Amino acid sequence: AAGKPKEALATLRTASAAVTRAQHPPLTAEYTYWEGELLRANGDYEAAATALRQAAALAADARQDELMARAWTRLVAVLGHHQHKVDVAIELASVAESALARSQATERLRATLANNLGSVEMLAGHFIRAVTYFQRALGYVIDRPGGAPLERAKVLSNLAAALYRQGKLPGARARFAEILDLYQRELGEDHPRT
């Protein structure tokens, strides 16, 4: 069901009864997280936010700290980016960051949360805070062994946009040049993105 979120959600839901029968809290938390992810992918952001909050609570109860951190991280994006509930997403920043600290999260998850928070701050017009978060995300992406260059390009794009919105055109231009170089190296000069 890759690339087909409606089919993926329907397939996931066929397991609902089995998950309930299993009465295994970590499995219930994981199931609920993926339901939230697929609801988001289908554009049902209200239901996605509800499922992700529930997944975070279930994961906490099941002592699944990494899953709890993933749920809070995604919830920040759903609330801020998709639902434009920027103030609520910003308020959740400390909860999500605490979940990351508790979980000893991967650099990739830390980068994702920092990038999500930067995007939310940018939507709120807080460009200086956005730049700080994007720089933090970039540090996690660069420092991670085997870090994916296209992940780096995504963060650089957000950083460039925030710098541009601040009127820092030379910095924005430099980041955009770096993105183009990454795309050309990774995808080739004939790729549509280059």
Side-chain angles (χ1 to χ4, degrees):
K4 298 179 181 178
K6 285 182 183 170
E7 290 88 344
L9 182 59
T11 300
L12 177 74
R13 286 184 168 161
T14 63
S16 178
V19 169
T20 302
R21 278 192 310 275
Q23 296 183 358
H24 184 63
L27 177 62
T28 303
E30 189 77 35
Y31 173 89
T32 305
Y33 171 80
W34 284 108
E35 185 176 39
E37 280 282 25
L38 291 170
L39 286 163
R40 179 199 58 79
N42 279 290
D44 190 348
Y45 304 123
E46 191 66 39
T50 299
L52 290 167
R53 276 185 196 277
Q54 185 179 10
L58 289 166
D61 289 345
R63 294 185 174 88
Q64 299 296 304
D65 294 340
E66 191 271 338
L67 178 59
M68 179 181 63
R70 277 192 290 138
W72 285 119
T73 296
R74 180 58 81 186
L75 183 59
V76 166
V78 168
L79 291 171
H81 183 73
H82 297 295
Q83 292 187 297
H84 303 286
K85 296 179 180 177
V86 174
D87 292 339
V88 177
I90 290 171
E91 286 175 14
L92 284 180
S94 62
V95 174
E97 288 173 336
S98 293
L100 284 177
R102 179 175 160 173
S103 73
Q104 300 175 354
T106 64
E107 297 294 294
R108 182 178 192 169
L109 188 55
R110 291 179 189 284
T112 300
L113 178 60
N115 193 56
N116 289 352
L117 290 170
S119 296
V120 170
E121 292 287 5
M122 196 159 73
L123 285 171
H126 305 149
F127 303 119
I128 293 171
R129 281 187 264 184
V131 166
T132 300
Y133 278 120
F134 293 139
Q135 288 171 334
R136 184 183 306 168
L138 194 56
Y140 291 133
V141 172
I142 290 171
D143 292 342
R144 193 178 48 148
L150 297 181
E151 285 180 43
R152 184 168 180 228
K154 177 181 172 183
V155 175
L156 281 169
S157 177
N158 290 338
L159 176 58
L163 290 169
Y164 176 82
R165 297 288 303 268
Q166 282 184 295
K168 296 183 176 181
L169 301 183
R173 191 174 298 119
R175 298 298 77 76
F176 283 127
E178 195 173 345
I179 295 163
L180 180 60
D181 181 59
L182 278 169
Y183 278 139
Q184 287 176 337
R185 273 188 290 140
E186 294 300 313
L187 303 175
E189 291 190 19
D190 296 330
H191 192 275
R193 285 188 164 176
T194 58

